[in-house]
Amino acid sequence: MPIPESQLETWSHQGSITQSSATYNTIKDVLEGKNTPYAGKSYKVFLQGSYGNDTNIYTESDVDIVIRLDDCFHHDLSGLSSLQQEAFKSSNTDATYTHDDFKKDVLSVLSSRFGHDVDSGEKAIAIAANGTRRKSDVIAATAYRRYHKFISSSDQSYDEGICFFTSSGEQIANYPKQHSENLTRKHQNTSRWFKPMARVLKNLRSRLITEGMLKSGVAPSYYLEGLLYNVPDSQFGKSFDDTFVNAMNWILGADRQDFICANEQYYLLREGSPVTWRTEKCDEFLNAAVDLWKQW
């Protein structure tokens, strides 16, 4: 039998708000302290991830925070002609305060405040839960620009994101602002069905893991949001049952290699990139979801 409407409706509920908000504000205050090593530099602290996008569920309580240094930026010039690349290089110089310097300073600030609860991590600086404070991940990043045109400093165009490096030196560039704005627009265009349905998929994923039908890590929340983002607006509405069936049937019948990430900067399903989902993992999730629906 199918998963009941009542269960889907329960899965649609948003997770912690009050504790997550308090956690974010506590860490933000620490990062924005007047005596930090980077206090005189231009930077911004903001949310990303499920809590920041109102798609968090009760079993997914991490608070994802970005602190982005804007005094320097990394870039992608592949969309420029050779002449425009030369113009860019003539107009810009290498930064003296780098991402590595910034991350070390952010780590020292957080360690001074939260002590042994802080772990430098592979990608993000992890802060363990303690009391009412929820587990948090802090990404120390720089601005990132993917250029479309560069004639001069006063005549240029680019998409702006964030850039950071893993502990092994791999560069990761992503676009959390575009991701968040596009999710909100999708939510509005689907008469406010999108975000509850994203939470349904995440809770379903958690159930699959609990039942041993899916391995942990196969279907990260970011990619589930991207998967649902590709479903046409017309497939949402009426009930959670109808929306789930319509969305899943549409996804299963579509050419998923054409799917894009919710930030609309990358394809969703591609090999060899740290910001894209592997096709076989997407297929694993979809097959397990169908099995759970049939076996309920």
Side-chain angles (χ1 to χ4, degrees), residues 23-223:
T23 297
Y24 171 60
N25 288 324
T26 296
I27 295 173
K28 185 173 186 288
D29 287 345
V30 172
L31 291 171
E32 294 179 339
K34 294 180 180 179
N35 297 319
T36 66
Y38 49 81
K41 301 193 179 296
S42 176
Y43 67 91
K44 185 175 182 180
V45 179
F46 56 92
L47 286 165
Q48 69 167 4
S50 296
Y51 167 62
N53 293 319
D54 304 322
T55 58
N56 56 308
I57 60 175
Y58 285 101
T59 58
E60 182 184 68
S61 59
D62 290 10
V63 178
D64 298 316
I65 302 167
V66 176
I67 177 168
R68 185 192 68 210
L69 177 68
D70 293 327
D71 278 349
C72 67
F73 61 89
H74 289 82
H75 54 267
D76 176 1
L77 305 182
S78 61
L80 301 182
S81 68
S82 57
L83 286 176
Q84 291 188 23
Q85 289 185 28
E86 287 302 317
F88 171 87
K89 293 173 184 177
S90 297
S91 300
N92 293 275
T93 58
D94 291 339
T96 56
Y97 183 75
T98 65
H99 173 267
D100 188 50
D101 299 323
F102 184 54
K103 184 175 182 179
K104 288 177 181 177
D105 285 343
V106 170
L107 179 60
S108 71
V109 167
L110 294 174
S111 296
S112 295
R113 173 61 178 81
F114 300 111
H116 294 299
D117 286 343
V118 174
D119 186 332
S120 59
E122 168 65 17
K123 295 180 180 179
I125 301 169
I127 305 174
N130 192 322
T132 59
R133 190 187 72 225
R134 290 187 169 271
K135 182 182 180 302
S136 304
D137 289 324
V138 178
I139 291 179
T142 66
Y144 185 79
R145 298 178 181 181
R146 178 186 284 169
Y147 277 91
H148 305 296
K149 180 178 74 169
F150 191 93
I151 305 302
S152 68
S153 296
S154 59
D155 188 7
Q156 58 180 315
S157 66
Y158 54 84
D159 292 317
E160 185 171 56
I162 66 169
C163 174
F164 61 96
F165 294 83
T166 66
S167 59
S168 60
E170 182 181 32
Q171 183 186 63
I172 297 178
N174 218 329
Y175 300 83
K177 179 181 177 182
Q178 291 89 330
H179 180 92
S180 181
E181 290 176 348
N182 289 343
L183 291 193
T184 297
R185 187 178 303 110
K186 184 78 171 181
H187 185 57
Q188 294 167 346
N189 290 345
T190 57
S191 299
R192 307 181 72 83
W193 280 94
F194 176 80
K195 291 187 178 183
M197 281 307 304
R199 295 192 288 266
V200 167
L201 285 191
K202 293 179 186 185
N203 274 302
L204 181 143
R205 180 269 322 274
S206 296
R207 183 62 170 264
L208 290 171
I209 294 171
T210 300
E211 296 291 329
M213 300 172 69
L214 190 72
K215 291 182 180 179
S216 179
V218 168
S221 294
Y222 175 82
Y223 295 134

